[in-house]
Every structure is written in C-alpha cells, then in structure tokens.
Amino acid sequence: KGGCARASGLVNAVLRRVAEHRDALPEIPGVGTADYLAVRYSHPRWLAQRYIDAHGYAFAERALAANNADAPACLQVNTLKTTADALAASLRADGIETEPHPWLPDALLCRGGNLAAAHAFADGWFYVQDAAAHCAALAAGVRPGMRVLDACAAPGGTDKFICRIRGMEKNESVAPRRTLNPAPANSAQKAASDAFFSFLAPRFWLIGCILCR
C-alpha cells in the first residue's frame, strides 16, 4: 500500500522463519539492561529505562511482560436488572467463567467465551467496559439526582454507568442535546439502544470531561 510491494514478501518470509524456529531463537544480548528488555518485550528503550530508574529492573520486567499479556474482559454489571452473583451464574451456565474484579464494585472479569452469544448479554445484564472508563464515573462523584453532562467520546458506556449510579428508572429520560459531531453521537445512540438502557439521547460531544451538578 505504501509503494513497497516487495517489502511484504520479505516481512512474511522473516515471520515464517521466526515461527518455524520459535523454540531455538538466538539469545538476546545484554541481560539486565534496558536494551534487553526493549527487545525481549517489544517496548521502547526509553520506557524500559524509565521503569528501571524509577522502580528497579525486576519491576520493569514484570511491568513490560504484563503489558504484553492478554487482559481479561471487564464486565459492568447492570444492577438495575441483576446482581453480580446472578450474572456470574448466568454466564457460567453459558460456559463462561468469571471472577469478581479485585477492587472495582459491580464488575466481573472473564477470559474466553463468546460474551455476545450469552443470554445475559441479550437481556442487558452487563456491558463490556474497561476498568479505567468505569473509574472515570466513580471519580466524578456522581450521586442520585445530579444533572450530568458527559462530554467524553462515544459509544456511551460511561453514560450507562452514570445513569445507574444516579438510580435512573426505565421511564426517565435524558434530554436531547445539540450534537457537535454526528458520528460519535450516532454511535452512542446505537450503543444505548440495546437492552442495557434505552433512554439515552444524542448530546454534546467534546473530549475528556464529565461535569456534575
């Protein structure tokens, strides 16, 4: 695509050779240095060095290794419809094992399984959302009865959690707002039209803040 059609053949050949000899790859030189960690874990050298300087070599290696590991899916429990225990039981019946998030309330972690095919997903019992996004709503200090302007990006998962914190009932609505960017607003409305909540409407779209009053 970049005008280097022959390069793709070279890259594929190198990757095939690596795959064929994955158990006999040459040793990486410089064990105990940032150069070694940068190559071993495919991270920038400056980042590896910063980790070492701040926390020591052992921590740096654990952090880089963890950054390459597959993260579990984080499920936000819709407590307007179910509980974490009931959701875990429902997912287990569909062959999906979960465990409580170690520090996030009303959240489960799971690895593997087809979440989209689970009965609980169709019933709106959970929403897949990264723990960091979940924390944004908690950090905002939203309380029942507050008016909230979510000026973050689509698709609307944080809105759903905020509405649950506020204790919104199914017949309550969020007033439509003028849309600054139709694309993410449409995405948010599509996400909000599922069984989790059906009353979110398009609103202002800015980046990076949640305003509460």
Side-chain angles (χ1 to χ4, degrees):
K1 292 182 179 180
C4 301
R6 297 176 61 184
S8 63
L10 173 62
V11 171
N12 286 334
V14 171
L15 292 178
R16 282 196 298 270
R17 292 286 290 177
V18 170
E20 291 170 359
H21 301 281
R22 67 179 64 185
D23 296 326
L25 295 176
E27 291 187 7
I28 302 172
V31 175
T33 66
D35 289 327
Y36 171 85
L37 294 181
V39 175
R40 174 67 179 82
Y41 298 103
S42 299
H43 279 70
R45 184 193 179 283
W46 66 264
L47 181 60
Q49 187 62 59
R50 181 169 296 183
Y51 279 157
I52 293 173
D53 293 342
H55 304 289
Y57 186 86
F59 172 91
E61 184 162 24
R62 291 197 305 271
L64 298 180
N67 201 34
N68 284 344
D70 291 333
C74 184
L75 311 183
Q76 176 193 133
V77 182
N78 183 0
T79 55
L80 295 181
K81 292 189 172 184
T82 188
T83 65
D85 290 341
L87 173 59
S90 176
L91 292 173
R92 189 179 306 111
D94 286 331
I96 302 172
E97 292 297 327
T98 64
E99 61 182 280
H101 195 283
W103 46 265
L104 198 60
D106 298 321
L108 300 176
L109 297 177
C110 75
R111 297 179 184 273
N114 187 353
L115 290 171
H119 290 84
F121 181 77
D123 292 338
W125 282 19
F126 70 90
Y127 186 84
V128 179
Q129 184 181 46
D130 186 77
H134 200 110
C135 286
L138 293 176
V142 180
R143 297 187 302 275
M146 276 186 167
R147 299 179 65 187
V148 180
L149 168 63
D150 179 1
C152 300
T158 304
D159 282 344
K160 295 177 178 183
F161 182 42
I162 289 174
C163 287
R164 178 164 63 79
I165 293 175
R166 288 183 67 242
M168 295 184 71
E169 300 297 337
K170 296 179 182 178
N171 59 355
E172 193 175 352
S173 63
V174 174
R177 302 291 196 272
R178 184 173 180 180
T179 301
L180 301 181
N181 183 349
N186 290 340
S187 176
Q189 191 172 33
K190 181 178 183 298
S193 66
D194 63 15
F196 198 104
F197 283 107
S198 59
F199 48 76
L200 296 183
R203 60 246 195 267
F204 284 113
W205 285 101
L206 303 174
I207 299 298
C209 64
I210 298 176
L211 306 178
C212 306
R213 187 177 66 180

